Amino acid sequence: MMQLAVFDFDSTLIDGETIEFLAHKQGVFEAVSAITKRAMAGELDFYESLQARVKLLQGMQEAQAIQICQNLPLIKGAKEVVSGLKQRGYKVVCLSGGFKFATMHFKNVLGLDGEFSNILHCKNGQLTGEVGGEMMFSFSKGMILRTLQDLLCIPPDKTLVVGDGANDVSMFAHAKKKVAFCAKEILKAHANIIIDTKDLREVLAFA
């Protein structure tokens, strides 16, 4: 039977948070980073924190945002874990509270079967500070995972999920193998596999 592997994107497949790379270039890193830390630790509502952080990117050039998003550093072992899982019959998908500029590019780089993320709204070649998409809420990943399981006829006991932060908790409820990868304590509490080595190839031992 087909199996499903679902990865978070920021600080899981790539080494860092997309929005922080963008914020650094825009000169608002400290403000964005402070909100990110609180959101990932579960101290802030994810939807509100996403809106607040994207608002700080208002006025950034769209072309610059795309360039940054397409040149993010991959986590060690990212390519190997995707190809290794696909060889074992897994469909491999990324669910991200981040942005299409990054996830669509890295879907091709990594050979993912699919990606779900959010869209930075642009007008006249600039970011407006608004964001929309299918991954806006703390429950979004769990909801999309269940939809994928229904579409592909893959049950939770054939599902592996990998993440690092609070907004990954919702997808952990629908998978047998729940991997907390270099993760925040709030996610480790929901995991049954904990990897603290920054190398995604470690996941293959549990697949």
Side-chain angles (χ1 to χ4, degrees):
M1 179 189 264
M2 193 193 299
Q3 300 187 83
L4 178 62
V6 176
F7 287 82
D8 169 44
F9 186 71
D10 292 309
S11 299
T12 302
L13 288 173
I14 64 141
D15 196 356
E17 299 285 320
T18 305
I19 197 158
E20 292 187 356
F21 286 101
L22 294 167
H24 198 77
K25 199 72 178 174
Q26 192 68 357
V28 291
F29 176 78
E30 299 297 333
V32 166
S33 181
I35 301 170
T36 300
K37 281 191 179 72
R38 292 186 64 201
M40 289 296 97
E43 296 170 17
L44 288 177
D45 175 81
F46 183 77
Y47 175 69
E48 291 170 352
S49 77
L50 180 64
Q51 286 189 310
R53 287 176 289 168
V54 171
K55 183 67 75 182
L56 291 165
L57 301 177
Q58 184 175 356
M60 186 176 203
Q61 293 297 315
E62 181 181 2
Q64 188 177 51
I66 292 169
Q67 185 193 15
I68 291 166
C69 286
Q70 292 186 353
N71 288 280
L72 298 167
L74 286 169
I75 283 266
K76 184 180 179 182
K79 287 183 178 174
E80 293 90 337
V81 77
V82 174
S83 61
L85 288 167
K86 291 181 81 168
Q87 284 165 16
R88 297 178 195 194
Y90 279 85
K91 289 286 183 191
V92 185
V93 176
C94 159
L95 300 185
S96 175
F99 313 114
K100 291 272 180 208
F101 286 160
T103 56
M104 286 180 74
H105 175 74
F106 283 97
K107 173 184 180 287
N108 296 327
V109 170
L110 294 169
L112 300 171
D113 294 298
E115 55 75 37
F116 295 82
S117 61
N118 295 317
I119 295 163
L120 291 168
H121 187 246
C122 301
K123 192 173 181 180
N124 303 325
Q126 293 186 331
L127 272 57
T128 64
E130 299 295 325
V131 60
E134 60 249 318
M135 303 299 299
M136 297 274 287
F137 302 95
S138 59
F139 58 78
S140 297
K141 291 187 181 184
M143 202 164 71
I144 295 283
L145 174 54
R146 289 189 65 190
T147 302
L148 285 171
Q149 288 170 329
D150 288 347
L151 278 170
L152 299 170
C153 299
I154 298 174
D157 68 357
K158 296 287 184 188
T159 302
L160 175 148
V161 294
V162 186
D164 76 302
N167 73 323
D168 296 313
V169 171
S170 67
M171 67 178 180
F172 273 38
H174 309 293
K176 182 179 180 180
K177 296 172 181 174
K178 317 163 201 281
V179 182
F181 179 75
C182 299
K184 311 292 182 290
E185 291 303 320
I186 189 170
L187 191 66
K188 285 184 178 181
H190 295 266
N192 53 20
I193 300 165
I194 293 175
I195 296 172
D196 284 325
T197 310
K198 209 173 184 182
D199 185 343
L200 274 177
R201 290 173 296 184
E202 301 273 325
V203 171
L204 294 170
F206 303 98

